[in-house]
Amino acid sequence: MYEITVRTRFAAAHYLKDYDGPCARLHGHTWHIEATFRGNMLDSKGMLLDFGEVKRKIKAIVDELDHNTLNEVEPFCGSSENNPTVENLARYIYYRLKGQGDGHDQAAKISRVRVWESPDTSATYAEV
């Protein structure tokens, strides 16, 4: 089994809805994203996936979030079920990457997304 991980970061603000604490107020983070892909086979060039292509896909998602208030960006605007927590952000990015397949039976699949909101706190989303 092979895995590759691509890291990136972006800056964005958020506040936690229906939360009793300081994070209920608008504040910002430099969010760090780690997207890991997994597969059993390498291509003819000896790669699981082309890092450049993976970076392009992640950048498209991150560009929509960067320097925004996450509470005002779909899917986080609306009900508290879509609160822009680090957990929900990890799930959102995971599903966006999962949905960006090229339509072919690709050997490598998104395995997990980890989002860091600070150097000491992160959340990971993966399907079992």
Side-chain angles (χ1 to χ4, degrees):
M1 180 68 62
Y2 298 95
E3 285 188 341
I4 65 164
T5 300
V6 173
R7 295 182 67 179
T8 192
R9 63 185 164 275
F10 68 97
H14 76 145
Y15 58 89
L16 299 183
K17 299 174 268 189
D18 302 321
Y19 182 77
D20 184 23
C23 292
R25 295 189 297 271
L26 182 65
H27 62 284
H29 298 283
T30 299
W31 305 85
H32 290 254
I33 311 300
E34 296 176 3
T36 300
F37 294 80
R38 172 182 273 195
N40 289 320
M41 297 178 56
L42 303 180
D43 67 13
S44 62
K45 296 177 286 297
M47 297 178 185
L48 181 64
L49 289 172
D50 183 326
F51 279 123
E53 181 66 18
V54 174
K55 288 177 185 179
R56 184 191 64 74
K57 290 179 179 186
I58 294 170
K59 183 180 183 321
I61 298 166
V62 166
D63 283 352
E64 296 172 8
L65 304 172
D66 190 37
H67 284 81
N68 273 305
T69 301
L70 297 180
N71 300 72
E72 299 171 359
V73 177
E74 287 291 339
F76 303 112
C77 54
S79 73
S80 61
E81 293 175 12
N82 292 325
N83 218 358
T85 62
V86 67
E87 296 90 346
N88 283 336
L89 187 57
R91 182 184 67 209
Y92 171 72
I93 295 169
Y94 177 96
Y95 279 113
R96 287 286 307 273
L97 288 169
K98 184 177 179 181
Q100 288 186 5
D102 61 9
H104 298 90
D105 185 23
Q106 187 173 314
K109 305 286 185 200
I110 184 71
S111 172
R112 66 185 169 272
V113 171
R114 178 177 234 170
V115 177
W116 295 82
E117 67 175 15
S118 78
D120 301 319
T121 57
S122 70
T124 302
Y125 184 83
E127 292 182 333
V128 180

